[in-house]
Structures are given as C-alpha cells and as structure tokens.
Amino acid sequence: PEESRAVIIIFGGSGDLASRKLYPALFNLYRRGVLAEHFAVIGTARRPWSDEHYHEVVETAIAGLNPEPAQAHAFAQHFFYQSHDVTDADHYITLKNLAAKLDDQFATGGNRVFYMAMAPDFFETIASHLKSEHLLTDVGFNRLIIEKPFGHDYASAKELNDSLTATFADDQIFRIDHYLGKEMIQNLLAFRFDNTIFEGIWNKKYIDNIQITLAEAVGVEERAGYYEKAGALRDMVQNHVMQVLSYLTMDKPKSFTTNDILAEKDKVFAALKPYDLATAKANFVRAQYVGAEVDGKTVRGYREEEGVAPDSQTATFVAGKIMLDMPQWQGVPIYIRTGKRLTRKSTQLTLTFKPVAAPLFGQSADSKPDTLTIYIEPSEGYSLQLNGKALGTGLTIEPDELRYRHDPKAAAAAPEAYERLINNVLEGDQTNFTHWSELSASWHFIDAIQAAWSQEPNMPTYPAATMGPQAAFDLLSRDGREWFWQP
Ligand code: BG6
C-alpha cells in the first residue's frame, strides 16, 4: 500500500468511539503500512491529559489486537493530546500551532483530517471555529470526517449540513455510515453486477419481495443519553437500512466510480414512496422491549435501563414496508425491521422470487418460492433455496439449499469497517460515505413516520429476546407473506 501523510485531529479523543474503533483502526493501518512515518494524531477533549497518559490510553485501546510491544509503543509516539474547549477560540489557535509543528516534524505535507467523534451538539461550533481560526491549510488536503447522528430530522440535518459546507467543500466532507465499510455490504455490488445469473432477474418481474433485517441482541447498553432522543428509526433506519436498501435496488452504475455509483443510489433515494400520516401508521410499526426471563436470567426492560425515563416513549424496534417508485420495482414491497433485544444478532437480506408461472409438477405443497439470502453479520455469505426432486421413485419436490459462508477466521482477519473507511478518507475516496442528497431524501421519508407516531399516545411493547411485536408479523401476513427468518 502507498503510505499516507496527514495530521489527524480527533475531537473526542478521550471518548468511547475513539478507543473502541478509531485507535484500533489506525493501528491496523499502521501495521499494513498505510500509515508509517508521516502521520501524527492530535487527540482533543476537555479532560486535561498528558501525552504520556494519552499514549497509555492508545496502547490499551489496541491491546486486543495483540501488537508487538515495540510496534505498539512506536505507534503511540505519533499521538499528542491537547485539552480543548470547543467553544473557546483561543484553543483553536493552540491546536493550529500544534498541528503546524507536527506537520513539520512528521513531514505530513500540510494534509489535515478533522474527525468529529463526539456529541453532535458541538459539530457546528467546531466547524465554524475551524474556519474562523483558519485551521484549514493552503497546501495539502483538508478533510472532515463526521459521525452520526447527522441531525435529528430534516431541518436539523440541513442546518448542520449548511454549517459544515460553510467551512468545507462537499468533496471534503466524509459522513460515516459504518455499514458501508462492512465487507458484505461492499460485496453487494460485486455480487449483483458480476454474476450473469442475477443481473437479469433482479427486478419486479421475478422478485416478489425483499426483506432487510438488522437484528441486535444487545439492549441500549450505556448509550441511553443518546438513544432516548433517537430511537430505532433514527438510529438504524434513517442511515444503515436506507443505505443497504439502496445497494440492493440501485441499477448498475455506468462504471465503478464514485459519481456513477452515487448517481444510481440517488435515483433510489428519490424514488422512496413517501407516506402521509395515515399511510405511515398503516405501514410502519414500532415497539419498546419489556423485561423477560431469558435462559433462567431476568433481562431488564428498556424503561428499567440506566438513564432511560420510566415513561419513555422511545421505540427500540421498527418494522415497515417501503415501496419504490421506479419502473423496475413497481409493486415490490421491501420489508425492513430492526431492533434491540431481539432473539439474536443477525444482519441478513432476503429476496423471495415469484413462483413459477406454470409448474410442471402442478402446485406441490412442498414447493417453496426460491429465495436468496445474503448474510452480512455475524456469518458472512449467501444461501439460495431452490426446489429439487426428493430422493426416491416418486416425484416429490423438496427444498434444497446452496450455501456458501466465508471462512470465519479469514473473515475475522479482514479489515474492520472503520479501518476501510479511514483508509478511504486518506485516499480521498468518497464512495463509501453518505451524501447530502441521500440524507435529505431519507430524512424526509423518516420525518413523516415520526410525525405519525408522535400522534399515538401508547407505545406498544415486545418481550426481550423475541423478534418484536405481533404487529411486525401482521404487517407481512396481511399481504399474504411472512418473514423469511424466524429464529
Ligand atoms: C450504530 C447504532 O450505528 O450501529 C447502534 O448507533 C447499533 O445502536 C450499531 O448498535 C450496530 O452496528 P453493528 O455494526 O453492530 O451492526
């Protein structure tokens, strides 16, 4: 790999995301030689840490990767800590001087990456100070990485975007959706567009429905402060589900370049059939988990979690039906569901094909529609369920499965999402990031559902460790369908 040069400034350097994801990702890039001599990281946050303490934090954060001690130590020497109050203009001058000094020391060519990995309340303040205190350099590149949540609704997302674009050009802004960094999400384009057998049948003529499941077994964990305001619709659907949906349904891009891929994705986002209050209620369901006994242990309900209001109205589960106003997808429902404290962790996508128009063997009760399932996580692979003849003298149809899974060891050794995405930023490749047009379309869609829900006084519930409320099953059964995955 080619060596990258940059001073990387992380706002939120003492935070959970930095330790859990960013430092390990940077270390892996270092081990692979993408980062070598010519980089420095400035961690900033309120706490007054010394560089020595920061080095310990970084070394602890990467300990799980079993580094060579000498290499871990050498890596940590590239890290510098600057206590920083994001509202204080003077602090930006200090930061700017430190960055300039490190630029000299590590010969980083004036390249800067600004990484906003902290509470969203300060994104706009930071962006405006970066401009007013002239932290962007004239030589080299200046790139901004920004974490979710990107707004709370369309209006706040627009405001945030306006403030970022006042400082950064659009092609300098990298909005993270970590699903786009996942191996099997990136694989979707290869799988769809490099296989003759799928290209011709990936449309309404052959596909009956599409299902997208992003199930989590964990509860809200320590993130109630954020999650209470977000809920499953904003936390998972507005971003991850929408991105996955666009990869599943977009047309083949003219070429494998950022602009051509985005152009096709944009058509999907523009085709999301909007809901009004009544249709949103009919096509989207929400619920909140309540406590249950699971394997002899008591699992707390959402309202009993730390930091959650005892009368919280936050949904931890969403299921819905999405239609696309595109000729090739007319009439094909896309059923989506996601939630916390579901039966188990699994991200999987299923396409169910239409039944054979005139089956040679008559309508056999054993014949099932063909289905293709793409496993994103934790297992990674595909399976195709087909009809075949059962062994024996008669002619009985039975379902057979063609199954492929990546070797779990090899899959675990592949780069993690953050490693790929930070690498993309260093290369200046915007393909695997969220663009404003996508965000604005998906927020409009989401806002309508949120508005419908805010009129409903009662929050439906589901017991922890189940696949959500009955209404999520009814959503499909009223269409004469069912969820393919029913653990
Ligand atoms: C994040 C959400 O974006 O994605 C979390 O904020 C969620 O609530 C997480 O747990 C799920 O990501 P993954 O990669 O574990 O499927």
Side-chain angles (χ1 to χ4, degrees):
E2 203 168 308
E3 185 187 342
S4 295
R5 293 172 184 250
V7 174
I8 302 169
I9 302 175
I10 301 180
F11 294 91
S14 65
D16 179 59
L17 180 78
S19 286
R20 262 185 327 112
K21 299 286 187 189
L22 309 189
Y23 301 147
L26 289 168
F27 182 67
N28 278 331
L29 291 171
Y30 183 69
R31 270 209 284 220
R32 288 203 290 115
V34 173
L35 294 173
E37 290 314 310
H38 302 291
F39 83 100
V41 177
I42 305 177
T44 78
R46 273 201 109 105
R47 311 174 197 196
W49 281 359
S50 64
D51 283 349
E52 289 68 36
H53 180 68
Y54 190 38
H55 293 172
E56 280 166 32
V57 168
V58 171
E59 289 197 44
T60 307
I62 63 172
L65 301 171
N66 299 319
E68 294 282 328
Q71 196 181 29
H73 186 71
F75 172 70
Q77 301 311 304
H78 289 260
F79 285 70
F80 300 82
Y81 188 81
Q82 181 67 54
S83 169
H84 184 85
D85 171 354
V86 292
T87 60
D88 183 340
D90 285 348
H91 283 198
Y92 290 85
I93 310 283
T94 315
L95 203 55
K96 179 178 158 179
N97 294 337
L98 177 60
K101 185 181 138 220
L102 296 175
D103 198 7
D104 274 351
Q105 188 177 334
F106 291 91
T108 56
N111 296 334
R112 298 281 188 278
V113 175
F114 302 92
Y115 200 133
M116 295 202 195
M118 57 181 314
D121 320 338
F122 296 109
F123 288 167
E124 301 179 45
T125 311
I126 298 171
S128 72
H129 278 96
L130 294 179
K131 185 184 169 85
S132 60
E133 311 314 320
H134 308 288
L135 268 84
L136 278 61
T137 58
D138 301 327
V139 288
F141 61 68
N142 289 278
R143 293 176 187 152
L144 172 75
I145 308 181
I146 183 159
E147 284 287 338
K148 59 178 282 202
F150 201 95
H152 184 74
D153 51 16
Y154 172 75
S156 56
K158 168 96 170 54
E159 199 181 304
L160 173 57
N161 200 58
D162 288 347
S163 81
L164 299 181
T165 51
T167 304
F168 293 91
D170 211 41
D171 64 1
Q172 296 177 315
I173 304 176
F174 294 75
R175 301 174 195 83
I176 295 250
D177 182 318
H178 78 284
Y179 268 62
L180 295 179
K182 288 180 192 277
E183 184 71 56
M184 288 301 291
I185 299 294
Q186 299 194 346
N187 192 351
L188 283 175
L189 298 190
F191 183 79
R192 288 193 49 200
F193 299 122
D194 218 23
N195 287 304
T196 315
I197 61 167
F198 294 129
E199 267 206 288
I201 61 169
W202 210 273
N203 54 51
K204 67 173 180 206
K205 186 160 176 221
Y206 298 99
I207 293 176
D208 176 78
N209 76 91
I210 296 176
Q211 300 184 10
I212 300 176
T213 299
L214 272 57
E216 293 190 272
V218 294
V220 69
E221 303 183 280
E222 288 83 41
R223 297 165 69 231
Y226 151 75
Y227 197 84
E228 272 281 87
K229 283 184 254 153
L233 187 67
R234 295 187 180 100
D235 185 47
M236 298 289 279
V237 182
Q238 183 276 326
N239 40 30
H240 309 319
V241 169
M242 289 297 179
Q243 288 293 335
V244 172
L245 184 153
S246 74
Y247 270 35
L248 273 177
T249 55
M250 67 188 250
D251 262 355
K252 187 177 189 166
K254 280 201 206 72
S255 72
F256 191 66
T257 54
T258 308
N259 286 346
D260 285 344
I261 294 170
L262 293 184
E264 293 307 330
K265 282 175 78 183
D266 264 348
K267 289 183 198 159
V268 174
F269 280 94
L272 289 167
K273 218 173 200 165
Y275 286 125
D276 58 25
L277 290 182
T279 52
K281 278 181 205 163
N283 289 291
F284 265 81
V285 307
R286 60 174 181 161
Q288 190 185 68
Y289 63 86
V290 290
E293 287 289 312
V294 183
D295 300 330
K297 284 197 207 115
T298 309
V299 175
R300 273 188 298 189
Y302 180 69
R303 288 182 181 180
E304 283 95 59
E305 302 272 20
E306 200 161 323
V308 172
D311 58 350
S312 169
Q313 291 294 314
T314 301
T316 60
F317 176 92
V318 183
K321 173 167 149 181
I322 298 177
M323 304 297 291
L324 293 179
D325 220 340
M326 297 172 93
Q328 67 273 42
W329 293 115
Q330 231 35 275
V332 181
I334 302 165
Y335 299 106
I336 63 116
R337 60 179 168 170
T338 183
K340 303 248 179 230
R341 284 268 184 256
L342 300 186
T343 313
R344 60 190 168 79
K345 167 82 185 172
S346 182
T347 304
Q348 49 175 282
L349 322 171
T350 296
L351 274 65
T352 300
F353 292 90
K354 293 194 165 158
V356 175
L360 187 58
F361 311 106
Q363 286 296 355
S364 155
D366 303 313
S367 161
K368 291 225 172 89
D370 299 336
T371 57
L372 168 68
T373 300
I374 303 173
Y375 294 93
I376 309 295
E377 253 176 15
S379 73
E380 302 179 25
Y382 331 98
S383 59
L384 190 56
Q385 191 177 290
L386 308 161
N387 292 306
K389 177 190 163 304
L391 293 172
T393 46
L395 221 156
T396 314
I397 299 294
E398 67 170 11
D400 294 331
E401 189 190 0
L402 298 180
R403 184 177 189 279
Y404 170 78
R405 295 288 187 281
H406 280 320
D407 169 45
K409 266 213 195 106
E416 202 265 340
Y418 273 91
E419 184 183 341
R420 283 170 213 274
L421 296 177
I422 294 174
N423 196 6
N424 287 160
V425 173
L426 293 168
E427 289 167 339
D429 181 348
Q430 281 207 321
T431 314
N432 300 316
F433 294 83
T434 306
H435 296 264
W436 172 244
S437 52
E438 300 164 4
L439 265 169
S440 70
S442 85
W443 272 125
H444 281 306
F445 183 80
I446 295 295
D447 283 354
I449 298 161
Q450 201 66 55
W453 285 351
S454 65
Q455 295 189 328
E456 308 261 285
N458 292 321
M459 173 60 66
T461 61
Y462 61 101
T466 65
M467 286 308 285
Q470 184 55 40
F473 294 88
D474 299 344
L475 188 70
L476 276 73
S477 54
R478 76 169 188 216
D479 291 348
R481 300 189 176 96
E482 58 181 19
W483 290 106
F484 179 76
W485 185 53
Q486 304 210 16

